[in-house]
Amino acid sequence: MEEKSTDTLEKIQRAAMEEFSEKGFLGASLRQIVKRAGATTGAFYGYFSSKEALFASIVEPHAAALMGRFMEAQTSFAEMPEQEQPEHMGLESSQCVHWMVDYICDHREPVKLLLCKAEGTSYEHFVHNMVEVEVEYTLQYLEVLHHLGYECAQLDAQLCHIIASGMFNGIFEIVIHDMPKEQAMRYVDQLRDFYTAGWLKLIGQS
């Protein structure tokens, strides 16, 4: 039986990163990954049960980090006293987006797999899931504004989904095309200004 080693594991994951980057999860060949790594099929199955398990080993830490920070920002805002929420609107999310852009720029390769090459895995709806959370908390915030006596337009979940989807896809477009971090940060600030002004206009707070 081939002895496990950290070196072999790293070679398999590096070969997988290259194969998944070139062909996506569905097009990637497990045989080719093993060949690129200079390993055997037996060695591969000593570490992973399947091609998807290998993909998950690469992207899961980054998916967990991004979603975790995003959820932290959402819950932190939602747990504020209602009367304090309007004056903080956008602050927590802006800090979160800056953190996410910084993180993605520091982990470009695996995050690109997560965002662009995950079709056929449990991660293919990662951005959609983030949008759904954004919609849920947006609707909660609109309810808070109503409780506080603000005259707000009624926005349904479908419209909120369309807007949030455009925003998140825009943010991730900025960071998946190998932009320098400084440029990505500048663009994402401009994008957030654009969407914030739009939201305020829609809910009658501009």
Side-chain angles (χ1 to χ4, degrees):
M1 184 175 177
E2 190 168 336
E3 185 179 351
K4 292 185 180 181
S5 72
T6 302
D7 185 53
T8 301
L9 174 60
E10 289 176 352
K11 285 179 179 177
I12 291 172
Q13 288 182 314
R14 171 48 57 184
M17 185 98 72
E18 294 170 358
E19 181 79 0
F20 290 137
S21 295
E22 292 171 11
K23 302 173 184 175
F25 173 79
L26 290 176
S29 163
L30 192 54
R31 182 178 299 177
Q32 189 62 30
I33 290 170
V34 170
K35 183 179 177 181
R36 283 185 184 219
T40 66
T41 303
F44 172 84
Y45 284 112
Y47 293 104
F48 304 106
S49 60
S50 64
K51 184 172 74 167
E52 182 160 6
L54 171 57
F55 188 88
S57 77
I58 296 170
V59 304
E60 173 57 29
H62 307 288
L66 290 167
M67 186 62 80
R69 181 65 182 86
F70 175 66
M71 291 302 304
E72 180 186 334
Q74 296 286 355
T75 55
S76 174
F77 179 79
E79 289 170 359
M80 285 182 182
E82 288 189 353
Q83 64 272 19
E84 294 181 14
Q85 290 187 23
E87 64 188 70
H88 285 87
M89 201 279 281
L91 295 179
E92 279 71 21
S93 62
S94 178
Q95 292 169 357
C96 175
V97 169
H98 281 166
W99 183 92
M100 289 171 66
V101 172
D102 192 62
Y103 184 92
I104 293 169
C105 287
D106 288 343
H107 304 85
R108 290 181 190 270
E109 286 187 275
V111 175
K112 277 189 181 180
L113 296 188
L114 172 65
L115 297 176
C116 306
K117 306 292 184 177
E119 184 181 358
T121 77
S122 60
Y123 298 94
E124 67 176 300
H125 301 300
F126 179 79
V127 177
H128 174 83
N129 293 339
M130 195 169 274
V131 168
E132 288 293 289
V133 171
E134 178 76 12
V135 170
E136 177 186 349
Y137 281 93
T138 297
L139 294 174
Q140 284 184 26
Y141 177 61
L142 291 175
E143 285 299 314
V144 167
L145 292 178
H146 286 301
H147 292 162
L148 294 173
Y150 287 84
E151 293 291 332
C152 295
Q154 291 289 341
L155 304 180
D156 63 24
Q158 191 170 21
L159 177 59
C160 290
H161 181 94
I162 292 169
I163 296 170
S165 181
M167 181 182 72
F168 277 101
N169 280 290
I171 290 169
F172 290 134
E173 277 289 305
I174 287 169
V175 292
I176 63 178
H177 289 296
D178 296 318
M179 287 185 188
K181 186 184 293 187
E182 184 178 336
Q183 182 183 4
M185 286 291 189
R186 185 171 68 252
Y187 280 4
V188 85
D189 279 341
Q190 292 172 325
L191 191 67
R192 279 197 49 77
D193 287 344
F194 176 83
Y195 275 97
T196 299
W199 275 118
L200 292 174
K201 176 70 174 179
L202 282 177
I203 65 176
Q205 299 299 303
S206 62

